[in-house]
Amino acid sequence: MSDDPIRLVTIGRILRRRWRLLAILTVVGALVGYGTSMLFPPRYTASASVLLPGQWEERALLTQAEIATSSAVVDRAAAALGWKGVSVGELQDRVSAKASDGNIIKISGTADTPERAQRLCDQLAQQFVTFAARIAGDGANPDTATGPDALRQQVADANRRITDLANAANPGQTVESVQARTELEKLRTTLQEAMKKLDQTDPAANKAGMVVMGPAARPTGEAPPTRMQLVVAGALLFLLLAVIGHLGAARVNRRLRTEPEIAAALDSVLLGTVDVPDERPAPRQKGVRPRAWLRRLMGTDTRWDIPTPRMSGDEAGRRIRYQRVCARLRDQLPAPRRLLVVVLDGDEIARRAAGQLAAEARSGPLLRVVEVSVSRPMVPDRDSESGALVVLSPGSWTAEQLAAVAEACADAGHEVVGVVTAGAVRARTKRPVGHPPDKAAPALAVRGHENGGSV
């Protein structure tokens, strides 16, 4: 598993190298969103506001919002509308109410047409006001309803009694008479303030004074999610899942990227690193399979998780790297002998590097290039060769695959004498006239037989 952190440059590399695949998946997501919109009919939402006069606490407003969407109110609205094929439970799922600032309950209703949404919202607001007035008046307990009126009558009688006592007090200016009249006026003021607060907090008066603030406006657009929103959401969802899938695949990638890890997996030594000009591989067969054509169309025939090829020097500098590898081979081998150059099937960069390496090894050792399958590696049996040189590109193979290649070499009687890694680079200058191209394989480069026989 790769522990490299996810950076913006990684996402940019995905978008740059997989833009065809991402574009196709985005279009597919848009089509899925469009198909989803066809399964759900359009909905329209209308809203009406109900004003609650007086002073209300926040909890009381929330209670009124719950009452507005209660089954008692919705049942009455459904009976008044008389819509066929719409149950009360379905209708209750289409309505909502919330308390807003200014003691206003906003009631919303959703239907399949703008006219039905407007009718539903108006009927729901009207039934809510009627139901609240019934609770406050006719539907309440008679004793509870008449209690505030009896209290007001008693307060009025108390005020008249206070006036009589004040008039009956000694009209003189004695201290006792002045104190008595002052205490009576304080009592009168206290009773008046208490009645004023009672009138303001009377729930029956508040509920009975609810007002619908005009009819609901007919909706002009669909309620979300609209068809366009579903199409855009589907496209963005598929694009996001594609990017996350690429990042997840990179995180669980177990391919070896460093030279020491590759050499350890093959139980050999690293002889060097060579450069190969970065070129798009041409079809190696006349007939292109549909799967390969589809991979090329979507841009998945090339790796995206490898860094951008660095700028290379001239061709002479690249040839020096190959010559140094050949020199290390001559120094490591006790005597001139023939070697197999093993390349894994599908590693185009390593195949081109192996061909160039065989072409540069003019003074020995003699190299013969063979390609082996990755799923079932089979190396030709030992004939005139007395060792194997493995050429591969970093970041392409796992430790298990390389261990299988080393085991196949050992079964065929070949010792892995070294490992050469090949990396793609961008060439600065053109190739001199008369020099063979880097990707041209020498005449002695052939594919090994899977049966293990000599070639």
Side-chain angles (χ1 to χ4, degrees), residues 190-206:
T190 302
L191 289 174
Q192 290 176 353
E193 291 177 355
M195 289 305 303
K196 184 178 181 180
K197 292 182 179 180
L198 179 62
D199 292 338
Q200 292 177 352
T201 58
D202 185 7
N206 290 335

Side-chain angles (χ1 to χ4, degrees), residues 128-211:
F128 167 59
V129 172
T130 303
F131 183 73
R134 184 174 302 174
I135 293 177
D138 299 337
N141 189 351
D143 296 337
T144 305
T146 58
D149 295 335
L151 182 59
R152 292 186 183 91
Q153 185 63 36
Q154 293 178 3
V155 170
D157 295 341
N159 285 332
R160 287 194 297 268
R161 183 60 179 168
I162 289 173
T163 302
D164 296 338
L165 292 174
N167 294 331
N170 188 358
Q173 299 297 324
T174 61
V175 177
E176 291 78 4
S177 62
V178 173
Q179 291 179 349
R181 287 194 297 270
T182 301
E183 295 295 334
L184 291 174
E185 289 300 328
K186 289 181 179 180
L187 179 59
R188 188 197 304 274
T189 303
T190 302
L191 289 174
Q192 290 176 353
E193 291 177 355
M195 289 305 303
K196 184 178 181 180
K197 292 182 179 180
L198 179 62
D199 292 338
Q200 292 177 352
T201 58
D202 185 7
N206 290 335
K207 293 180 181 178
M210 292 183 182
V211 179

